[in-house]
Amino acid sequence: MMSWKKCAGAALAAAVSSLVAGAQTAPITLSVDLTDAPRKILHATEVMPVTAGPLTVVYPKWIPGEHGPTGPIENMAGFFITANGQPVKWERDKVDMFAYHLTVPQGVTQLEMKIDFLASSALSGFSAGGSTSENLALLSWNTLLVYPADTDADKVMFTPSVKLPSGWNLGTALDKDGGSGQTSNFKTVSLEQLIDSPVLAGRYFREIPLAPEISPKHYLDMAADGPEQLNLSKEHIADFDKLVRETGALYKSRHYGSYHFLVTLSDEVAHFGLEHHQSSDDRVMATTFTDDREFVLDGLLLPHEFTHSWNAKYRRPAGLATSNYQKPMEGDLLWVYEGLTEYLGDVLAARCGIWTPDQYKQRLSTIAAEYDNRPGRTWRDIQDTATAAQTLYAAGGGWDNWRLSVDYYDEGELVWLDVDTTIRKMTNGKKTIDDFVAKFHGLGGDTGPKVVPYTFDDVVAGLNSVVANDWVMFLRSRLDSNSYHAPLGGLENGGYKLSYTDKPNAWSTLEDQQSETFNFWYSIGLHANKVGNISDVLKGGVADKSGIGPGMKIVAVNGRAYSPDVLKAAIHDAKGSGPAVELILLNTWLL
């Protein structure tokens, strides 16, 4: 049997040697070339100061804001390492696919690393999804770098630069530090700040200063596939001006040097929003800023991601405030991180004029109805959707209402609406959630970008500082509930009651028009598109009990060829003691 002491000593010596080899004596330089972005491939050259000996470098794995080990290692290619012009062989760790082991030769003081990123992913997911087109690119720095293992992201320093295709311009929260031609150099920053500061570049690019009287400065940076997509109206610009002003009134603080909304207007990239401390990566359809319907439907995105600068980046759950990008994150407080942000984002969208008060209420009623009909709540509580977030973001397809997914967003919003209306009720309207936010997220007043972690107990203490209550019981009874029905106390405290009619509300009608799906959820319990493909079926609903499942296709309704209107008419006629709805279906998975 091997001696434990001998084994431990050898391991310790190897660890010390590795740390010495990777000790940083000067910033790492990272030069990214986007000139091939239209061909879906990005290039980087990284020069890392080193000393001789064993060295492990790692590719970022746990990406902030994505709540999972989503680093796109599968699309990292062309990884070559040289020292003084000679190749240095690396070997991938046999367990951790994101780690590379090598030995720095004697006398070598720096390594040059070549990395390509294949930007050819499908138009889905987050930053690893489609991010380029013929005329634009969104650069997420984490896709094109490695850094020494076992080091803190705020201690590793990088000096970055980016080269653009001819005629392109860019927007970013990074501070420029010279450059020439199509190359922009940026000031040295920590790895944490680098990964938190993406670059939006494009041939058709426009930057609009927002609320210019306010400091620090705010900018709307847009890149599009065509120049006409950048022509948003003066009214919409005024909405974003007011958004900046309203956040100041709400949070009583700003925790950044400047803020850039990086908006990608394109049908050729993945559509999502990803928060950063001094910017946000907002990707929407090409016509979102020029089509009023699309502007309304995506009206939450910028307020939501902007709110994350306070609630996620500055005040961050302790389990998500990891020291580097290899350490697993714990998502148990995502109902605060995302749920509260969803609530505040909706409120801000209404306060700044992106939505009318009626549109806000219509959207809220749609959320309440959907989450009041999620039978998966009977086995999985909202707390588990947060705890298991890393397994749920990629989940989708049929039976979602039985499995559940990232319900802590919208059901979390209902919980925080309940918190807000409870505060109002207990203080006779003298205090609101605004008071909690100003204290909790405005802690320390105006600061630069920094992280102030919090725990569940900190949230409870913050609420008690506004109004004394048994907030532990209040929150846990909602988060841990396996009741079939959603927590709708916030609606009731606000003087409203959820009710159903035979006519869809204005918000759900807009959503159906955009997605070209039709909502028969509250009658026969299914969603179908215009050609009859069924995307989901309500567990325990009429369609479920009739043997219908997701992936089937409706061919005929009561002997007539299917159309959404024919099915609507049949359901209407079946009301009360009317004739049953008879469907002919194909069982196919061609959705």
Side-chain angles (χ1 to χ4, degrees), residues 270-291:
H271 293 149
F272 63 88
L274 186 62
E275 63 274 10
H276 298 282
H277 213 134
Q278 302 187 102
S279 62
S280 54
D281 178 0
D282 308 300
R283 308 191 198 182
V284 293
M285 291 187 290
T287 59
T288 296
F289 281 177
T290 55
D291 181 305

Side-chain angles (χ1 to χ4, degrees), residues 520 557-558 560 563-575 579 581:
F520 302 103
V557 181
N558 292 347
R560 300 174 61 192
S563 75
D565 287 340
V566 167
L567 181 53
K568 288 177 186 177
I571 292 172
H572 181 273
D573 293 343
K575 185 178 180 180
V581 178

Side-chain angles (χ1 to χ4, degrees), residues 153-455:
D154 63 347
K155 301 294 193 301
V156 183
M157 305 306 291
F158 274 77
T159 302
S161 65
V162 63
K163 182 180 181 181
L164 303 182
S166 178
W168 286 30
N169 292 297
L170 64 82
T172 180
L174 293 171
D175 292 327
K176 289 187 178 180
D177 191 25
S180 61
Q182 290 302 112
T183 298
S184 294
N185 300 329
F186 303 103
K187 292 182 178 179
T188 299
V189 294
S190 67
L191 174 60
E192 178 183 37
Q193 190 171 345
L194 180 65
I195 287 183
D196 207 27
S197 303
V199 174
L200 175 63
R203 186 184 312 279
Y204 305 108
F205 183 89
R206 182 183 180 190
E207 181 174 86
I208 300 174
L210 298 176
E213 79 282 3
I214 291 177
S215 291
K217 299 305 178 184
H218 300 75
Y219 304 92
L220 179 63
D221 292 332
M222 299 171 288
D225 287 325
E228 72 283 356
Q229 294 153 5
L230 302 174
N231 294 326
L232 68 166
S233 67
K234 292 181 180 179
E235 291 76 15
H236 290 338
I237 295 174
D239 292 336
F240 294 136
D241 284 333
K242 193 173 182 183
L243 173 60
V244 172
R245 298 182 184 111
E246 288 291 340
T247 53
L250 178 59
Y251 302 114
K252 309 294 185 187
S253 61
R254 299 193 188 275
H255 308 295
Y256 42 80
S258 65
Y259 192 90
H260 292 252
F261 297 95
L262 305 177
V263 182
T264 307
L265 297 152
S266 174
D267 295 332
E268 298 182 41
V269 300
H271 293 149
F272 63 88
L274 186 62
E275 63 274 10
H276 298 282
H277 213 134
Q278 302 187 102
S279 62
S280 54
D281 178 0
D282 308 300
R283 308 191 198 182
V284 293
M285 291 187 290
T287 59
T288 296
F289 281 177
T290 55
D291 181 305
D292 286 344
R293 183 185 70 180
E294 300 298 337
F295 186 79
V296 168
L297 283 171
D298 279 320
L300 169 63
L301 182 60
L302 268 63
H304 179 104
E305 302 306 338
F306 194 20
T307 283
H308 270 319
S309 182
W310 291 267
N311 184 44
K313 307 306 290 186
Y314 177 64
R315 297 306 312 270
R316 193 176 307 177
L320 298 176
T322 51
S323 60
N324 62 42
Y325 307 110
Q326 314 314 120
K327 293 185 177 180
M329 298 179 182
E330 296 177 0
D332 56 302
L333 289 176
L334 281 169
W335 56 271
V336 186
Y337 184 117
E338 297 290 3
L340 177 56
T341 299
E342 195 83 347
Y343 179 56
L344 296 174
D346 273 5
V347 168
L348 285 167
R351 288 181 180 176
C352 75
I354 293 175
W355 294 337
T356 66
D358 186 62
Q359 285 171 331
Y360 169 72
K361 288 187 286 187
Q362 293 291 318
R363 170 179 156 79
L364 190 59
S365 66
T366 301
I367 291 171
E370 178 181 354
Y371 284 84
D372 204 40
N373 290 272
R374 300 274 284 172
R377 299 183 77 258
T378 60
W379 73 270
R380 165 179 259 163
D381 54 41
I382 184 177
Q383 178 61 73
D384 188 62
T385 68
T387 302
Q390 60 182 281
T391 70
L392 295 174
Y393 270 97
W399 301 117
D400 175 74
N401 65 99
W402 183 234
R403 178 197 58 243
L404 303 189
S405 54
V406 289
D407 289 33
Y408 52 82
Y409 279 84
D410 286 342
E411 189 170 331
E413 176 171 11
L414 296 176
V415 170
W416 285 102
L417 172 64
D418 203 353
V419 170
D420 190 3
T421 55
T422 297
I423 293 173
R424 294 169 188 263
K425 188 175 181 180
M426 294 182 69
T427 63
N428 294 317
K430 294 179 180 179
K431 293 184 178 181
T432 71
I433 202 168
D434 292 25
D435 296 278
F436 166 74
V437 166
K439 289 185 176 184
F440 196 77
H441 300 94
L443 183 69
D446 293 345
T447 70
K450 59 186 292 188
V451 179
V452 182
Y454 64 82
T455 64

